[in-house]
Amino acid sequence: MKLMVFFTVTLKRGVKQFERVSTPGVRLYVNHKELPPVLNGMGVAVISTSKGVMTDRKARALGIGGEVLCKIW
C-alpha cells in the first residue's frame, strides 16, 4: 500500500494527521454500516477486508467490512 503525501499550491502538507486505530492488542472490526466517517468525509479510513486493503468509501460501496487500520486527514 502506498501513502502519497501531497502539497498544496502554498506548499502546505496535505496530510494533517495520521491516527492508528487497530493495534496488536486491540483490533477494531466493523461491518460496512458501522464504518466510521473521518472528519465528516474530509478524511479517509484505511480498512483491511477479505478483498484486500481499501478506503472506507470503497468498502461501503462494495458492502463489506473489516479491520479499521488507521484514519488519515
Side-chain angles (χ1 to χ4, degrees), residues 1-69:
M1 181 170 88
K2 291 183 181 180
L3 175 63
M4 304 281 294
V5 178
F6 61 92
F7 292 89
T8 61
V9 176
T10 59
L11 294 179
K12 292 184 181 179
R13 288 183 298 150
V15 175
K16 299 289 183 186
Q17 192 166 354
F18 179 90
E19 178 185 349
R20 185 174 179 183
V21 178
S22 286
T23 60
V26 180
R27 306 281 187 189
L28 178 64
Y29 294 98
V30 295
N31 63 24
H32 72 280
K33 295 177 184 176
E34 298 172 344
L35 284 171
V38 181
L39 286 177
N40 293 324
M42 297 295 290
V44 175
V46 179
I47 313 294
S48 176
T49 68
S50 59
K51 303 281 185 183
V53 177
M54 61 184 72
T55 64
D56 57 336
R57 293 180 190 124
K58 188 172 180 182
R60 273 191 212 98
L62 293 174
I64 55 176
E67 180 184 356
V68 181
L69 300 176

